[in-house]
Amino acid sequence: VADGEHRWPVWDFTNDRPAARTLTTAEMAGRVVIGAKGKRRRYAIDCCDPVDMPDQDLILHPYVLGLWLGDGSSIMNHISVHEEDAEVVEHLRACGVEAEFRLPKWRKGRIANVVIDPTFRMRRENGASFSDCFRSRLTERLRQLDVLDNKHIPLGYMRASRWQRLELVRGLMDSDGTISPDGKRCEFSNADRGLIDAMVELLRSLGYKPAVYKGKARRKVFGCEGRVHESAEYWRISWTAYAEEPMFRLSRKRARMRSIENGRPWRSRRRRIVDIRPVSSVP
């Protein structure tokens, strides 16, 4: 809710070239839509600048957490990746964790397996003998963050510095993200609505303009016996980003990103005002 006299720095698209103006809410009311068919939005405002906060003391590198949240096993230290993405091991090691790239016999299609911080033996509390169990350092950290079998983005990561939030996004995008062949749109897909909402908040805090679309569950029939499989509903986030601030670490995805010089930042970095509605004044 904004007062009628609130002054807005806007872009006026009455002519071919938008003009920068400062108008009140009352001055824009009733003139939001223009054009013969009434489909053009006259005014736009710039997207917010990225929110910058101090670095947080995080127990797990945000890129590692993002990669695991996207395509990692919810209860262990395994992550599914494309067989062409063996380079992810180097990115993980650069983030301070050990990783192994595997092509197990049980894999399906072109899926490979990455194990982060392979298990190591733990001594008993009295130090007398080795324990029979094995633990992964990554699993221990995930348990401390309360995300093991409870995938979500912890608040400390949501309120981290700009570069830490960007690394978190890159981890999520390297796992569950993609980019269109022409490099115009980045997309992130997931069936967890909570993770989708958190990703939208992250992107907005970085100055982007994400749009969310809901995908329908799909029904597939397999084999001669006609086994039926129904996939879960999912959501897709779409937004525009440029190579100057890449959304990926993986080279095959990063290579598709185009420079801002070849894009249209005046559209991707602005929000159109679609309506202004009067409401009762509240003290």
Side-chain angles (χ1 to χ4, degrees), residues 220-281:
K220 294 183 178 180
V221 179
F222 297 91
C224 300
E225 64 277 13
R227 290 183 293 107
V228 178
H229 172 75
E230 290 190 5
S231 63
E233 291 183 338
Y234 69 97
W235 288 266
R236 179 170 55 89
I237 307 173
S238 178
W239 73 99
T240 299
Y242 299 102
E244 284 74 10
E245 188 174 79
M247 295 287 102
F248 311 92
R249 281 197 179 202
L250 291 177
S251 57
R252 70 178 179 90
K253 295 182 178 181
R254 189 168 180 166
R256 288 185 180 180
M257 298 197 71
R258 58 179 180 165
S259 171
I260 195 170
E261 296 178 356
N262 300 322
R264 295 186 292 179
W266 59 88
R267 292 190 61 180
S268 60
R269 300 293 169 86
R270 293 173 184 165
R271 294 182 179 275
R272 291 297 182 109
I273 298 175
V274 299
D275 197 7
I276 298 176
R277 303 174 186 174
V279 295
S280 301
S281 179

Side-chain angles (χ1 to χ4, degrees), residues 66-73 78-81 151 174-176:
L67 197 71
W68 179 83
L69 286 172
D71 265 339
S73 167
H78 289 224
I79 298 177
S80 298
V81 299
K151 282 191 175 184
D174 276 356
S175 55
D176 266 353

Side-chain angles (χ1 to χ4, degrees), residues 20-179:
R21 303 178 63 185
T22 300
L23 301 172
T24 65
T25 309
E27 288 174 330
M28 291 188 291
R31 299 189 295 170
V32 173
V33 180
I34 57 176
K37 297 183 179 180
K39 294 184 178 181
R40 289 182 58 199
R41 310 298 181 184
R42 179 173 180 175
Y43 302 111
I45 58 175
D46 290 329
C47 291
C48 296
D49 290 335
V51 178
D52 203 0
M53 290 177 279
D55 284 354
Q56 297 291 321
D57 185 15
L58 306 174
I59 64 173
L60 184 63
H61 194 285
Y63 176 81
V64 180
L65 177 62
L67 197 71
W68 179 83
L69 286 172
D71 265 339
S73 167
S74 62
I75 59 173
M76 59 193 303
N77 58 331
H78 289 224
I79 298 177
S80 298
V81 299
H82 194 278
E83 65 180 7
E84 295 180 0
D85 293 337
E87 68 174 278
V88 73
V89 170
E90 298 304 320
H91 296 311
L92 289 169
R93 288 173 179 169
C95 295
V97 297
E98 281 300 318
E100 293 182 6
F101 183 83
R102 300 175 179 176
L103 295 174
K105 294 181 179 180
W106 46 260
R107 70 192 184 108
K108 297 181 179 180
R110 305 185 69 182
I111 299 298
N113 181 250
V114 171
V115 183
I116 302 179
D117 278 340
T119 54
F120 61 96
R121 289 187 179 274
M122 299 287 292
R123 286 188 178 274
R124 296 186 187 276
E125 292 183 1
N126 58 13
S129 62
F130 282 105
S131 170
D132 294 330
C133 69
F134 293 85
R135 296 181 185 176
S136 163
R137 293 183 181 89
L138 176 68
T139 305
E140 292 298 308
R141 294 172 186 174
L142 295 175
R143 184 174 287 109
Q144 292 177 46
L145 292 171
D146 192 29
V147 295
L148 204 62
D149 202 19
N150 178 32
K151 282 191 175 184
H152 67 280
I153 300 178
L155 183 61
Y157 286 80
M158 297 293 295
R159 301 294 179 263
S161 65
R162 179 182 178 183
W163 80 265
Q164 288 176 319
R165 299 196 312 276
L166 184 58
E167 283 297 309
L168 178 60
V169 168
R170 286 171 178 161
L172 288 162
M173 290 298 288
D174 276 356
S175 55
D176 266 353
T178 186
I179 185 170

Side-chain angles (χ1 to χ4, degrees), residues 149-222:
D149 202 19
N150 178 32
K151 282 191 175 184
H152 67 280
I153 300 178
L155 183 61
Y157 286 80
M158 297 293 295
R159 301 294 179 263
S161 65
R162 179 182 178 183
W163 80 265
Q164 288 176 319
R165 299 196 312 276
L166 184 58
E167 283 297 309
L168 178 60
V169 168
R170 286 171 178 161
L172 288 162
M173 290 298 288
D174 276 356
S175 55
D176 266 353
T178 186
I179 185 170
S180 59
D182 57 9
K184 291 183 178 181
R185 303 292 292 178
C186 294
E187 290 191 354
F188 176 80
S189 301
N190 203 279
D192 187 335
R193 185 54 198 257
L195 197 57
I196 289 291
D197 291 342
M199 182 66 159
V200 169
E201 182 178 338
L202 280 173
L203 292 170
R204 287 174 177 168
S205 75
L206 291 168
Y208 293 100
K209 188 176 69 172
V212 181
Y213 305 93
K214 185 176 182 180
K216 296 181 180 180
R218 299 176 182 177
R219 182 185 178 92
K220 294 183 178 180
V221 179
F222 297 91

